[in-house]
Amino acid sequence: MLRDKMDLDENVETNDRVTEVRKLSFIDILVPVLTLITIVNCVVILILVMNIGRKVNGLEQRLLLLEKKELYEEYEAVRKETSTELPDSENFSEVSEVADTVAVAELEDTYQWNGSEDRTADIRRVYLTFDDGPSTNTDRILDILAQYGVKATFFVIGKNGYTEQYQRIVKEGHTLGMHSYSHRYGEIYASLDAYKEDLTKLHDFLYELTGEDCNIVRFPGGSSNTISKVNMQELIHYLNQENMIYFDWNVSSGDASGENKNANQIAQNVLAQIDKYNNVVILFHDAAGKSTTVDALSEIIETILASDNTVILPISEDTAKVQHLHD
């Protein structure tokens, strides 16, 4: 009888130990699982917050530009109604420039090129072009181009403090093209003489810094811009007289928009359009706020280089002309 009781107590004790071990094993598993779930949730929340922040920032920038554009349009309406010259203060000059920039960005992102092109060659020629530089991103762009051994075209403007970047563009075999000196649409496109003065100033500025006698041009906003107060045909005729060649684009990266597109969006914008043409001129922007453009370059270049019968070249006088308008 005593023996049976001892066996029973021993069995109870054994069962208690087994239960305790099971409890410990369950806790040992549960704690890491809960910790992992917590970490995953934190990462997801962090990503969502960062995305929301970027979207809010993009919306704020867009709203600011639209507000300034509306202010400028209101100013123009009052000026026309009264038929008097209102003071062209620095404030309204800045507002005008912002309004023009918004209009041009919308055009650059949506313009569909339907011009003729050279389809006689079996090789597709791709031209990477960068407007508005140099900037704090120029060296990064040049580093990536050097990494893949490809050449591009830089349609630059006049800026102080970027001597090394202008010189590096030429030294590394890229095409140094002219965009405008001031990049102020209201001034450049005020008249034919104003355009001549601005372009000549840029030409001389670049020649002094680099020794390059530039003759490749891109109009600010493209030849199809709706900002110019002078007939664009007059400007095209002037360039022809000066033996200068202008180039527009037939593929836009979409990076002109104030929406701050991410690198994947920019890459897809470009790669989805390349197969349409044998001579592909891609529009990018080299500006301080365009870091995602730089981030997209490697994917774009690698995909192009991996394509059959496709090369990446800098624009030259012999390049098939991609132009929205013709003389």
Side-chain angles (χ1 to χ4, degrees), residues 147-160:
Q147 177 186 344
Y148 292 98
V150 298
K151 308 301 180 186
T153 303
F154 291 81
F155 290 103
V156 299
I157 62 178
K159 292 183 178 181
N160 293 319

Side-chain angles (χ1 to χ4, degrees), residues 66-129:
L66 289 174
E67 285 174 2
K68 290 185 176 182
K69 183 179 180 182
E70 289 172 1
L71 177 61
Y72 176 66
E73 290 173 346
E74 186 176 322
Y75 159 77
E76 282 289 273
V78 171
R79 185 182 63 79
K80 290 177 181 178
E81 282 180 9
T82 58
S83 298
T84 58
E85 290 295 326
L86 297 179
D88 187 18
S89 66
E90 290 184 4
N91 181 50
F92 278 116
S93 177
E94 179 184 350
V95 170
S96 171
E97 184 66 18
V98 171
D100 289 347
T101 301
V102 171
V104 168
E106 290 173 353
L107 173 68
E108 289 180 348
D109 284 347
T110 60
Y111 187 89
Q112 295 296 318
W113 187 72
N114 296 314
S116 61
E117 60 165 335
D118 175 18
R119 288 191 172 275
T120 60
D122 294 328
I123 298 177
R124 174 174 286 109
R125 296 171 172 83
V126 179
Y127 303 89
L128 311 177
T129 70

Side-chain angles (χ1 to χ4, degrees), residues 47-301:
I47 292 172
L48 289 173
V49 170
M50 290 173 64
N51 286 336
I52 291 171
R54 280 196 292 265
K55 290 180 179 179
V56 169
N57 182 53
L59 286 172
E60 287 177 349
Q61 292 179 7
R62 192 69 175 172
L63 286 172
L64 179 61
L65 291 175
L66 289 174
E67 285 174 2
K68 290 185 176 182
K69 183 179 180 182
E70 289 172 1
L71 177 61
Y72 176 66
E73 290 173 346
E74 186 176 322
Y75 159 77
E76 282 289 273
V78 171
R79 185 182 63 79
K80 290 177 181 178
E81 282 180 9
T82 58
S83 298
T84 58
E85 290 295 326
L86 297 179
D88 187 18
S89 66
E90 290 184 4
N91 181 50
F92 278 116
S93 177
E94 179 184 350
V95 170
S96 171
E97 184 66 18
V98 171
D100 289 347
T101 301
V102 171
V104 168
E106 290 173 353
L107 173 68
E108 289 180 348
D109 284 347
T110 60
Y111 187 89
Q112 295 296 318
W113 187 72
N114 296 314
S116 61
E117 60 165 335
D118 175 18
R119 288 191 172 275
T120 60
D122 294 328
I123 298 177
R124 174 174 286 109
R125 296 171 172 83
V126 179
Y127 303 89
L128 311 177
T129 70
F130 299 88
D131 287 8
D132 303 348
S135 75
T136 52
N137 279 320
T138 304
D139 283 325
R140 286 185 62 205
I141 294 172
L142 290 169
D143 288 344
I144 293 172
L145 296 174
Q147 177 186 344
Y148 292 98
V150 298
K151 308 301 180 186
T153 303
F154 291 81
F155 290 103
V156 299
I157 62 178
K159 292 183 178 181
N160 293 319
Y162 288 95
T163 300
E164 291 183 5
Q165 286 71 28
Y166 288 115
Q167 293 174 346
R168 186 180 171 190
I169 289 169
V170 174
K171 184 178 180 180
E172 296 185 7
H174 305 286
T175 295
L176 185 65
M178 296 185 291
H179 200 33
S180 67
Y181 187 86
S182 70
H183 206 254
R184 291 184 176 274
Y185 298 95
E187 296 175 9
I188 297 165
Y189 291 133
S191 67
L192 175 58
D193 287 339
Y195 180 79
K196 290 180 180 180
E197 181 180 348
D198 182 272
L199 193 65
T200 299
K201 184 176 182 180
L202 178 62
H203 176 276
D204 294 347
F205 174 77
L206 296 177
Y207 184 77
E208 183 178 345
L209 288 181
T210 68
E212 194 77 1
D213 184 14
C214 301
N215 69 336
I216 305 295
V217 178
R218 172 170 286 158
F219 293 111
S223 65
S224 56
N225 81 83
T226 56
I227 302 300
S228 179
K229 294 179 181 178
V230 60
N231 190 320
M232 291 300 297
Q233 294 291 352
E234 293 184 38
L235 304 186
I236 294 170
H237 181 65
Y238 161 69
L239 292 182
N240 289 339
Q241 286 182 320
E242 297 297 316
N243 294 317
M244 294 183 180
I245 308 170
Y246 87 90
F247 287 85
D248 287 311
W249 62 91
N250 51 13
V251 171
S252 173
S253 67
D255 67 353
S257 171
E259 296 174 0
N260 193 27
K261 290 181 172 60
N262 61 45
N264 183 61
Q265 290 173 311
I266 291 171
Q268 293 310 309
N269 283 345
V270 171
L271 298 175
Q273 301 179 69
I274 286 179
D275 290 342
K276 294 180 182 179
Y277 313 109
N278 274 3
N279 293 285
V280 184
V281 179
I282 306 172
L283 172 66
F284 297 104
H285 289 83
D286 174 10
K290 305 298 179 183
S291 59
T292 54
T293 297
V294 187
D295 296 336
L297 281 181
S298 291
E299 179 182 353
I300 292 170
I301 292 172

